[in-house]
């Protein structure tokens, strides 16, 4: 396994910052999904492998993901309440992100900064997806940095992620796509390019799916028709354009980065990481036309943003640009990530959820109570 060296001082500072941020995330006690996950946590006491089926999930109200149920039941068996469960998981998860980021790049500050801006807030709300995001990050790291059995490592870590959020299954075919591209057969290349073009043209034909809605409702199910409507009909911050923007913007940046690194001295694993990140977002582009059928596809680019930031941090470190140019690049990325937050949640929801996380928080209550008593 190849590891990028970083100074112990930087690593210690980042670890301390990671713990503080994880405390803020983990001590939050109010957000859009907090009560739902709290009820799910309490219901898991009824979970067992024998009653783990659709009826059991509906009847008792625990999660449909076996890995999440096993972990929560383990904590519940030790009488650990939901608040402490979240706190421990966020600490462990953020420290894991910190470790992987330091192994990938000596500019790990860029990775952590990007993650804190986006999608950190979404991870506080979508708790199970937080597990999948971390396992995806680990899987991609081993896939690119491991000298052997990289595909097995990728599938293994993704499988663990799928036990916490089944949408991780959508990332499994990516390894097949990379393998097909390596074959470099002209028929395979044509087929892949056709899928990519269909994905790139998605905004042009998506509105016409409204005409298909009535047919879909009659011949398939009303649920599918409803998904078609959401795909084409809703506002930008809720509809199909979200995935398109979140896929195309990183794709354009990665295309620029790939052209710039051709003359840079990179480790082989670093070049593989950047190229595979570029391929990953092309894969998301290929998935876009399927979004009406599989709504979980829309969360895939969000889960890969920390991978995207890792690729950018490798580029910034190896390109050796001036301090001013680096600062400009980082500022532009920060603006982009703030924009992604605004687009995904909408302006009002961003403000509300940030307020929840910062102020409806046991850590904030403790600090406020301490100073008010002084």
């Amino acid at each position: 396994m190849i590891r990028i060296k970083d100074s112990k001082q930087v690593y210690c500072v980042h670890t301390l910052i990671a713990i503080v941020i994880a405390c803020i995330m983990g001590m939050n006690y109010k957000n859009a999904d907090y009560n739902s996950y709290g009820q799910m946590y309490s219901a898991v006491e009824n979970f067992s492998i024998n009653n783990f089926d659709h009826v059991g999930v509906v009847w008792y109200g625990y999660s449909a993901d076996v890995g999440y149920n096993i972990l929560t039941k383990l904590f519940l068996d030790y009488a650990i309440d939901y608040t402490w469960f979240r706190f421990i998981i966020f600490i462990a998860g953020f420290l894991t992100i910190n470790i992987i980021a330091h192994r990938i790049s000596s500019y790990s500050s860029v990775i952590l900064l990007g993650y804190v801006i986006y999608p950190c807030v979404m991870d506080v709300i979508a708790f199970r997806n937080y597990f999948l995001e971390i396992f995806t990050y680990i899987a991609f790291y081993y896939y690119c940095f491991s000298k052997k059995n990289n595909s097995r490592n990728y599938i293994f870590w993704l499988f663990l992620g799928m036990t916490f959020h089944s949408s991780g299954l959508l990332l499994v075919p990516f390894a097949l796509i990379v393998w097909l591209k390596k074959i470099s057969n002209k028929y395979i290349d044509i087929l892949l390019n056709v899928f990519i073009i269909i994905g790139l043209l998605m905004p042009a034909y998506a509105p016409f799916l409204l005409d298909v809605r009535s047919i879909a409702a009659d011949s398939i199910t009303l649920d599918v028709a409803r998904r078609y409507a959401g795909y084409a009909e809703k506002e930008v911050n809720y509809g199909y354009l979200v995935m398109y923007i979140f896929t195309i913007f990183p794709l354009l940046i990665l295309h620029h980065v790939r052209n710039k690194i051709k003359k840079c001295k990179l480790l082989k694993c670093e070049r593989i990481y950047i190229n595979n990140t570029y391929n990953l977002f092309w894969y998301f582009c290929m998935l876009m036309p399927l979004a009406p059928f599989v709504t979980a596809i829309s969360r895939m680019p969000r889960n890969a943003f920390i991978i995207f930031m890792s690729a950018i941090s490798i580029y910034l470190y190896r390109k050796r640009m001036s301090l001013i140019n680096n600062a400009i690049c980082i500022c532009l990325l920060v603006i982009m990530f703030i924009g992604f937050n605004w687009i995904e949640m909408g302006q009002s929801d961003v403000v509300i959820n940030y307020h929840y996380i910062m102020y409806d928080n046991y850590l904030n209550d403790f600090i406020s109570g301490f100073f008010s008593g002084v």
Side-chain angles (χ1 to χ4, degrees):
M1 178 62 60
I2 299 171
R3 180 178 177 181
I4 307 300
K5 293 183 179 180
D6 205 348
S7 68
K8 291 183 179 180
Q9 293 85 353
V10 171
Y11 183 77
C12 289
V13 170
H14 284 177
T15 301
L16 181 61
I17 294 171
I19 291 173
V20 172
I21 294 170
C23 286
I24 295 171
M25 293 168 68
M27 299 305 283
N28 164 249
Y29 56 80
K30 182 179 180 182
N31 60 60
D33 289 347
Y34 186 89
N35 290 333
S36 299
Y37 276 110
Q39 293 168 5
M40 201 182 293
Y41 186 79
S42 301
V44 83
E45 64 178 345
N46 300 304
F47 168 77
S48 73
I49 296 298
N50 295 330
N51 65 10
F52 183 63
D53 53 24
H54 178 71
V55 176
V57 170
V58 173
W59 181 264
Y60 293 111
Y62 49 72
S63 170
D65 299 297
V66 64
Y68 184 77
N69 287 332
I70 292 172
L71 183 64
T72 51
K73 188 169 177 59
L74 178 65
F75 275 77
L76 201 62
D77 287 345
Y78 283 94
I80 299 173
D81 67 20
Y82 178 57
T83 301
W84 280 106
F85 168 67
R86 283 176 63 94
F87 176 73
I88 293 168
I89 293 303
F90 276 118
I91 289 286
F94 214 99
L95 288 177
T96 302
I97 290 172
N98 186 44
I99 291 169
I100 298 298
H102 276 270
R103 291 191 170 199
I104 290 173
S105 171
S106 291
Y107 272 13
S108 53
S109 305
V110 177
I111 304 172
L112 298 176
L113 175 64
Y115 173 73
V116 168
I117 298 171
Y118 183 84
C120 179
V121 174
M122 292 300 300
D123 288 341
V124 176
I125 300 169
F127 191 43
R128 284 182 305 126
N129 191 75
Y130 179 60
F131 289 92
L132 175 60
E133 188 174 359
I134 291 170
F135 282 120
T136 301
Y137 193 36
I138 298 171
F140 205 80
Y141 164 70
Y142 278 106
Y143 186 57
C144 299
F145 278 72
S146 181
K147 291 183 178 180
K148 57 181 180 180
N149 298 327
N150 54 350
S151 294
R152 291 182 186 177
N153 290 326
Y154 177 77
I155 298 299
F156 170 76
W157 287 104
L158 267 188
F159 175 77
L160 287 181
M162 281 186 284
T163 64
F164 288 87
H165 205 295
S166 56
S167 64
L169 180 64
L170 294 166
L171 291 167
V172 174
F174 170 70
L176 176 63
I177 298 295
V178 173
W179 179 75
L180 288 174
K181 290 191 74 172
K182 287 180 180 178
I183 294 176
S184 191
N185 180 288
K186 67 176 182 179
Y187 297 108
I188 293 175
D189 291 342
I190 290 172
L191 182 63
L192 292 177
N193 287 332
V194 167
F195 279 112
I196 287 170
I197 291 170
I198 292 173
L200 288 173
L201 294 177
M202 184 266 285
Y205 61 76
F208 293 100
L209 294 176
L210 290 172
D211 298 332
V212 184
R213 182 172 57 183
S214 58
I215 301 173
D218 292 335
S219 60
I220 309 175
T221 63
L222 184 60
D223 183 53
V224 173
R226 199 173 287 133
R227 290 176 184 177
Y228 270 120
Y231 183 59
E233 212 171 39
K234 291 186 178 181
E235 296 175 3
V236 172
N237 56 326
Y238 298 108
Y240 66 88
L241 279 180
V242 171
M243 183 180 181
Y244 192 82
I245 292 170
F246 285 16
T247 302
I248 297 302
F249 267 73
L251 196 55
L252 293 173
I253 293 171
L254 288 166
H255 178 74
H256 172 76
V257 167
R258 286 179 81 239
N259 288 334
K260 290 292 183 179
I261 63 170
K262 289 178 180 177
K263 296 180 180 179
C264 292
K265 291 183 178 180
L266 272 71
L267 297 176
K268 183 180 179 181
C269 56
E270 292 176 329
R271 198 174 295 275
I272 290 172
Y273 195 95
I274 291 174
N275 288 332
N276 279 346
T277 304
Y278 179 71
N279 290 331
L280 182 63
F281 278 87
W282 272 127
Y283 174 63
F284 294 152
C285 186
M286 294 166 64
L287 289 178
M288 280 193 289
L290 303 176
F293 297 101
V294 186
T295 53
I297 289 175
S298 61
R299 75 174 68 234
M300 290 297 104
R302 184 217 305 169
N303 289 343
F305 270 121
I306 193 167
I307 296 173
F308 165 74
M309 285 305 299
S310 299
I312 296 300
S313 70
I314 293 172
Y315 165 71
L316 291 176
Y317 178 69
R318 295 299 182 186
K319 186 64 177 174
R320 297 293 185 182
M321 294 186 294
S322 67
L323 182 62
I324 294 176
N325 286 338
N326 267 339
I328 291 172
C329 289
I330 292 171
C331 286
L332 290 174
L333 288 169
V334 166
I335 292 169
M336 184 180 77
F337 273 62
I338 292 173
F340 286 163
N341 250 336
W342 238 254
I343 291 171
E344 178 151 6
M345 290 194 287
Q347 181 176 348
S348 59
D349 284 345
V350 167
V351 174
I352 290 169
N353 280 292
Y354 268 107
H355 183 274
Y356 284 161
I357 291 166
M358 298 303 296
Y359 293 98
D360 295 320
N361 192 297
Y362 289 114
L363 184 62
N364 178 68
D365 293 349
F366 172 78
I367 294 172
S368 300
F370 178 80
F371 283 103
S372 63
V374 174

